[in-house]
Amino acid sequence: MRRWLLLLVAGMAFARAGAGQFLVLSWSGRRVPYDLIEEMRPAGVLLFSSNFAEGPGPIHELRKRYPDLLVFVDQEGGPFNSFRPPGVPRFPGAMALAAAGDPALTRAVARAIGEEVCAAGANVDFAPVLDVNTNPQNPIIGIRSFGADPERVIRQGLAFIAGLKEAGILATAKHFPGHGDTSVDSHLGLPVYPKGSLSAIERVHLPPFEAAVRAGVPLVMTAHILYPDLDPAYPATLSRTILTGLLRDKLGFKGVIVTDDMSMRAIRDRYGLGEAAVRAVQAGADLVIAGRDPERARTIFRALSEAIRQGGISPERLAASAARLKALRSRTRPPCPEPDWRPMLALAKRAARAGVTWVRGDLPIPGAGTLVVGPKIRPRYGDEPSLAALAPRYLPGAHYQEVSEVPTGPEIEATLERAKRFDRVVLGTYHWLGPLPDEMIWLYQGLKALGKPVYVVALGNPDDLVYLDPEPDGYLVTYGFRAVQVEAALEALAGKFVPAGKLPVPVGPYPIGYGKGGVK
């Protein structure tokens, strides 16, 4: 009896240790949950902006206590920058870099982003996004993608991976096998690729991941998407056909497979957290992101422990993932001291300028007689100055009017009344996680009805143009709302440089590769 009890306890301890091996924990706020880490002994943790409320110091201390811990962060550039305390440069994102069309610039930006990741205390970046954004209605990818042309995505994506590697940071190709042709956000529901899209998947969406695998990318993140032509029963994250059959066996990927956040509703609402986590590991995932809710993490942890104890996850499966994780850890570097941010800020400004795309109208425009109307974009992804607020500094003589990201009725009325006193209007527009708001369209139409030239600066997805009828007199695209991008747009309007960016996606009648500007 005593021997049986000892074996039972040993088996339970083994199962709990094995379950922790697959786990990536997160938390909200500045306090590191050492009790939760001790309880589950996860393979890694995923950091969010709230974890840096006191700077990177607590994360550096965490690394000292657990030197083998994998520490992940989303530092893509553009909207997704989890490490963004004051003073740290915020770089343009993937689509802006693709518009610049210079892989050497992308590599330099990625190297700088890698230095940010290291200073944050992390050793793995969940970037780059290798999704080919063929659906302009995509509600979550958009400007995070390098565009709609797979060859452009490959060139830029490989440059980004190389830049991170130069900084000693491990890159992650996401979201396999492609999130670019969806109209549902997997945070909110389960996207389904159209049936009969196998040819498009093979020709368009898979090639960037194939190229990344050949280039030795160390991690691949899965997509919470159903691809009926690949597996009609399960989304990629839970599909052995996709993770093992396609990614491991056919593409030859030897590195670490990590799921996207399992608390997203695409998975949580349909499969249940525990069952889904077990199925993901059985499908071939090495790491499961448990989300920021500690009780949900415990649900996943218990389910994995039980599956290991009962044999649903075999010792051989455990050993295979353990070997891959050991190899991954051998490539990580310790946290870095804070670097001199000034050269990086100069690089961010250069990248922002290089990406600005001139689509319509004549440049430059005078500041005198110009009203610049700009939305104050909500600070969900970090607070940034608006186009309106920066206008007096970068477009001398201009006046400004700030409105909400979704303009209110009184804001629209006041702006239209004020615009009557000016010769021309520059209007900043923004959408990314959804269509251009009707209220912004109404504001634009009201301005056009005044009979004055209206120049539009698209500060998010580049396709605002398709919502604007009649077309604006001028149209610039920045592919992002970061301060360096807003400044670059105003400098282009003022004639400080000729914007030479090229569209990475088609916009209305304008094809991929279009742009009026050249090199000054």
Side-chain angles (χ1 to χ4, degrees), residues 248-442:
R248 289 239 185 263
D249 296 342
K250 186 173 180 181
L251 270 60
F253 181 59
K254 307 296 185 187
V256 168
I257 299 175
V258 56
T259 73
D260 209 338
D261 192 330
M262 299 297 280
S263 66
M264 291 181 185
R265 297 184 66 176
I267 297 297
R268 171 166 51 94
D269 287 359
R270 287 174 174 262
Y271 304 98
L273 287 170
E275 178 186 344
V278 172
R279 189 172 290 279
V281 170
Q282 291 171 335
D286 301 299
L287 293 171
V288 174
I289 298 178
R292 283 180 272 188
D293 184 316
E295 289 310 311
R296 288 177 181 167
R298 288 187 175 98
T299 296
I300 290 174
F301 180 69
R302 285 192 294 265
L304 290 170
S305 297
E306 186 62 16
I308 292 168
R309 195 175 70 80
Q310 297 283 358
I313 297 173
S314 69
E316 293 77 17
R317 179 70 191 80
L318 270 169
S321 282
R324 286 189 284 266
L325 291 168
K326 182 179 179 181
L328 190 73
R329 288 188 182 96
S330 72
R331 300 170 63 182
T332 60
R333 65 176 295 186
C336 311
E338 184 174 299
D340 182 355
W341 298 120
R342 289 171 297 181
M344 295 190 201
L345 180 57
L347 175 62
K349 290 182 176 183
R350 178 160 68 91
R353 276 187 166 202
V356 175
T357 304
W358 177 14
V359 179
R360 278 181 60 83
D362 296 324
L363 293 176
I365 64 171
T370 298
L371 177 66
V372 178
V373 181
K376 178 59 177 174
I377 296 166
R378 287 171 290 204
R380 179 181 176 187
Y381 297 100
D383 192 28
E384 300 288 345
S386 72
L387 186 78
L390 291 176
R393 189 187 316 170
Y394 293 94
L395 189 59
H399 292 250
Y400 67 96
Q401 181 89 8
E402 193 170 84
V403 297
S404 303
E405 183 179 321
V406 179
T408 65
E411 287 174 339
I412 293 173
E413 185 178 340
T415 301
L416 294 178
E417 184 61 33
R418 190 173 180 210
K420 294 175 183 178
R421 307 199 297 268
F422 292 86
D423 299 326
R424 71 196 64 79
V425 178
V426 173
L427 174 65
T429 59
Y430 172 76
H431 83 286
W432 170 42
L433 301 175
L436 188 66
D438 288 340
E439 292 83 351
M440 186 60 78
I441 297 171
W442 299 337

Side-chain angles (χ1 to χ4, degrees), residues 209-268:
F209 293 97
E210 292 176 300
V213 169
R214 287 195 300 269
V217 70
L219 298 98
V220 170
M221 178 181 284
T222 68
H224 296 335
I225 298 176
L226 187 69
Y227 305 83
D229 292 313
L230 297 176
D231 185 337
Y234 293 106
T237 297
L238 311 183
S239 171
R240 183 170 177 80
T241 300
I242 294 174
L243 299 191
T244 297
L246 177 58
L247 181 54
R248 289 239 185 263
D249 296 342
K250 186 173 180 181
L251 270 60
F253 181 59
K254 307 296 185 187
V256 168
I257 299 175
V258 56
T259 73
D260 209 338
D261 192 330
M262 299 297 280
S263 66
M264 291 181 185
R265 297 184 66 176
I267 297 297
R268 171 166 51 94

Side-chain angles (χ1 to χ4, degrees), residues 177 193 197-207 227 229-230 246:
Y193 259 57
S197 61
L198 181 60
S199 175
I201 292 171
E202 292 177 339
R203 288 184 299 102
V204 177
H205 299 287
L206 275 180
Y227 305 83
D229 292 313
L230 297 176
L246 177 58

Side-chain angles (χ1 to χ4, degrees), residues 493-507:
L493 290 169
K496 295 291 179 63
F497 72 99
V498 177
K502 306 298 180 185
L503 290 171
V505 294
V507 174

Side-chain angles (χ1 to χ4, degrees), residues 48-50 52 73-75 78-90 116 120 379-384 482:
F48 291 88
S49 59
S50 68
F52 298 109
V73 69
D74 282 298
Q75 199 80 353
F80 273 23
N81 282 291
S82 293
F83 183 57
R84 52 176 189 260
V88 176
R90 299 174 185 181
E116 291 181 344
R380 179 181 176 187
Y381 297 100
D383 192 28
E384 300 288 345
R482 295 301 183 196

